[in-house]
């Protein structure tokens, strides 16, 4: 299968070579494959020289191979916060894994995304990032290989802003701040992480939104994307997430822990639109804070 999309140049003098290699930062192999397949043309299908400067407003047509993703389709109640021909942003419920851990596995978010994609006549869908199984919220999905490569690069360069909300124990001494503490594996526990001088750099920004009854509602933004980062940093500062038993949080009514990826923002790499996407499906505990219950 193949997927087609149009791209309107927004920079005067940019060449196709510069667009693919420098602006989108596609890998050498992918750029070579696109060139060999004559995958970039004008809207009339006529070839365009790869070193020819484009005019702002010129429209290119890309036709690229669409490999089949390996996830088995699994129909469910998928909540879509945003979608276009390049990507999906979908809600992941707490307790659901983003993807299977073994071939043929089902019951995950990507199985549901695959069912939606196949129903729309698409064979490709790949997640750009992950959330811990117990965390609810937004996950970005690429709808074709070029989008996957571009969004991967944007994530690496911190051009995709991800905002979380958490309920934590105790009052904070400062209403906002920056947690800069490296994170590594805990050699005493197979899945737990810990702050460690030899760990990878990790930065989390926080802002206390409300405090009451010895607990706090905190807005958090990732400066890096380490495994369990927010959970580790909150526990390290003495404010473990409510319900997060792995990191010392007290039990939450209803089970689970209270961390939600509620917002995502980025400049769309193919349209130039500035997107701010909110999760339309907030967890009950967050709604209670919003209502002031």
């Amino acid at each position: 299968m193949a997927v087609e999309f149009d791209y309107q140049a927004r920079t005067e003098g940019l060449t196709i070579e510069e667009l693919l290699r420098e602006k989108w930062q596609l890998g050498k192999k992918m750029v070579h494959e696109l060139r060999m397949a004559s995958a970039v043309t004008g809207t009339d299908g006529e070839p365009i020289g790869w070193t020819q400067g484009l005019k702002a407003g010129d429209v290119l047509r890309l036709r690229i191979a669409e490999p089949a993703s390996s996830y088995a389709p699994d129909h469910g109640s998928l909540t879509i916060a945003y979608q276009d021909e390049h990507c999906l942003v979908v809600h992941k419920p707490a307790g659901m894994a983003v993807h299977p851990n073994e071939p043929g596995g089902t019951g995950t978010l990507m199985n549901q995304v695959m069912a939606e994609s196949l129903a729309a006549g698409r064979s490709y869908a790949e997640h750009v990032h992950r959330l811990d199984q117990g965390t609810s919220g937004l996950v970005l999905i690429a709808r074709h290989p070029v989008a996957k490569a571009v969004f991967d690069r944007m994530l690496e360069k911190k051009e995709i802003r991800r905002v979380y909300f958490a309920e934590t124990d105790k009052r904070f001494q400062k209403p906002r701040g920056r947690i800069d503490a490296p994170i590594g594996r805990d050699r005493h526990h197979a899945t737990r992480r810990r702050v460690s001088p030899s760990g990878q750099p990790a930065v989390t920004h926080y802002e206390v939104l409300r405090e009451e009854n010895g607990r706090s509602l905190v807005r958090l933004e990732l400066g890096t994307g380490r495994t369990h980062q927010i959970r580790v940093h909150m526990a390290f500062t003495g404010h473990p997430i409510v319900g997060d038993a792995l990191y010392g949080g007290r039990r939450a009514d209803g089970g689970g822990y209270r961390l939600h990826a509620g917002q995502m923002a980025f400049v769309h790499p193919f349209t130039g639109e500035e997107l701010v996407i909110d999760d339309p499906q907030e967890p009950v505990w967050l709604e209670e804070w919003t209502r002031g219950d």
Side-chain angles (χ1 to χ4, degrees), residues 85-133:
E85 61 185 328
H86 306 287
C87 65
L88 282 168
V89 179
V90 300
H91 168 83
K92 184 191 82 69
M96 175 182 283
V98 169
H99 59 83
N101 288 325
E102 54 189 31
T106 58
T108 74
L109 182 71
M110 287 309 302
N111 296 118
Q112 292 189 4
V113 169
M114 198 70 245
E116 185 277 341
S117 298
L118 291 171
R122 299 173 179 270
S123 63
Y124 182 95
E126 296 292 341
H127 59 88
V128 175
H129 63 102
R130 294 178 292 180
L131 295 177
D132 294 342
Q133 186 163 335

Side-chain angles (χ1 to χ4, degrees), residues 47 54 58 60 79 94 100 102 116 122 130-132 139 187 214 223 232 243 254 261 280:
L54 301 170
D58 282 353
L60 303 175
T79 299
E102 54 189 31
E116 185 277 341
R122 299 173 179 270
R130 294 178 292 180
L131 295 177
D132 294 342
V139 177
R187 58 190 177 89
V232 173

Side-chain angles (χ1 to χ4, degrees), residues 12 131 195 286:
E12 194 76 24
L131 295 177
V195 168
L286 185 54

Side-chain angles (χ1 to χ4, degrees), residues 38-51:
S38 300
V40 186
T41 68
T43 55
D44 56 3
E46 292 298 315
I48 298 176
W50 278 47
T51 58

